[in-house]
Amino acid sequence: MEAEHRHLAAGRLEWSPEIYRIFGLDPAAIHVSYEAFLAAVHPDDREGVREAYQRSVAGRTPYEIEHRVVLPDGAVRLVRERGQTQYDEDGRPLRTVGTVQDITEQRLAREAEHLARERDAAEAANRAKSTFLASMSHEIRTPMNAILGFAQLLLASGGLLPRQREQVEAIRRGGEHLLGLIDDVLEMSKIEAGRSSVTPSETDLLALVSDVEATFRLKSQEKGLALEVVRAGDLPRFVVTDERKL
């Protein structure tokens, strides 16, 4: 709703009842002046309001500005102010006539619509990413399963020297670790989409720790680092947990 205001000579204002309502002021309790109007404008917006009015008067052009007002109860509203100055026969400013419109709800609705569009775009991007990750997972699993299959055949053949067995075992562990990483990437996608779940099962904790130790030992050796895993004496052998997440 727009309300009329008049900015007259000598800094006097005339407001319609609607402007008093917008500003949260009682017509019977306040003497309206330009200074009183500026006092209701948000402190960060006052200079912009002054400049818009001064430019309008100097250029003899209408002005329009959006700014915030602070109500007596501390609430902040957004208004759109429009006005135009009228001049006397000598070209001196006589009065400024304009309107004030409360656009708070319009702005909130527009921002909510913008956020909804951003949310929809983000959800679409997540769906596309999930589809891509699922396809990538399949493309990686196919050759990796073949590598793991041949590694298991070599380990089961019994014809490997100790050093060769250790190397093939490293291939097997590395392949399984890579498959686990693929699962982790897919799990991250599910977490972002709010679809993550926990699947607990009985897990050999000692074997899990040993696998992790073996996976990182070679990398540690390559960097000249010592990797030492110390198991507590009361560490249970079997626990119920989600092994991948652990």
Side-chain angles (χ1 to χ4, degrees), residues 20-241:
Y20 283 98
R21 188 197 68 78
I22 292 174
F23 280 70
L25 299 174
D26 182 359
I30 185 172
H31 171 67
V32 178
S33 65
Y34 188 64
E35 289 71 24
F37 159 71
L38 282 178
V41 175
H42 193 284
D44 294 341
D45 297 346
R46 285 173 190 163
E47 191 59 33
V49 171
R50 285 195 191 97
E51 290 178 355
Y53 178 69
Q54 290 168 358
R55 284 196 304 270
S56 171
V57 173
R60 297 195 175 197
T61 57
Y63 73 90
E64 178 176 332
I65 185 172
E66 294 181 4
H67 63 83
R68 293 163 292 176
V69 295
V70 182
L71 276 57
D73 62 2
V76 177
R77 307 292 290 180
L78 181 67
V79 301
R80 178 182 294 121
E81 186 178 344
R82 297 185 178 98
Q84 184 164 6
T85 301
Q86 300 173 352
Y87 302 84
D88 62 17
E89 294 178 353
D90 297 326
R92 290 173 300 195
L94 184 63
R95 67 177 64 84
T96 299
V97 180
T99 60
V100 175
Q101 180 183 12
D102 186 343
I103 60 171
T104 307
E105 303 305 325
Q106 294 178 19
R107 179 62 58 84
L108 291 175
R110 191 159 62 243
E111 290 177 352
E113 182 181 354
H114 177 68
L115 289 175
R117 286 198 299 268
E118 287 188 338
R119 180 201 61 212
D120 292 343
E123 290 177 352
N126 270 331
R127 287 193 297 269
K129 181 175 64 177
S130 297
T131 301
F132 168 75
L133 289 175
S135 175
M136 182 193 70
S137 169
H138 174 74
E139 295 300 324
I140 294 177
R141 284 177 184 276
T142 300
M144 187 53 62
N145 284 329
I147 292 171
L148 289 175
F150 281 114
Q152 290 167 356
L153 287 175
L154 287 172
L155 291 172
S157 67
L160 297 176
L161 297 175
R163 179 61 176 168
Q164 292 173 330
R165 174 170 290 277
E166 181 181 345
Q167 293 169 341
V168 175
E169 185 66 32
I171 293 174
R172 182 193 65 79
R173 284 195 305 269
E176 290 180 349
H177 180 62
L178 179 58
L179 290 179
L181 288 178
I182 295 171
D183 291 336
D184 291 341
V185 170
L186 292 174
E187 183 63 27
M188 285 299 297
S189 178
K190 290 181 180 179
I191 290 173
E192 291 179 350
R195 295 187 288 106
S196 180
S197 60
V198 176
T199 308
S201 62
E202 188 177 86
T203 301
D204 188 333
L205 185 58
L206 297 183
L208 177 60
V209 172
S210 296
D211 282 345
V212 173
E213 180 183 6
T215 298
F216 288 100
R217 182 171 300 283
L218 182 60
K219 277 293 183 184
S220 300
Q221 291 172 351
E222 290 176 353
K223 294 179 180 293
L225 301 174
L227 174 63
E228 182 181 5
V229 178
V230 180
R231 295 167 177 79
D234 58 350
L235 188 69
R237 173 72 185 275
F238 295 98
V239 295
V240 176
T241 184

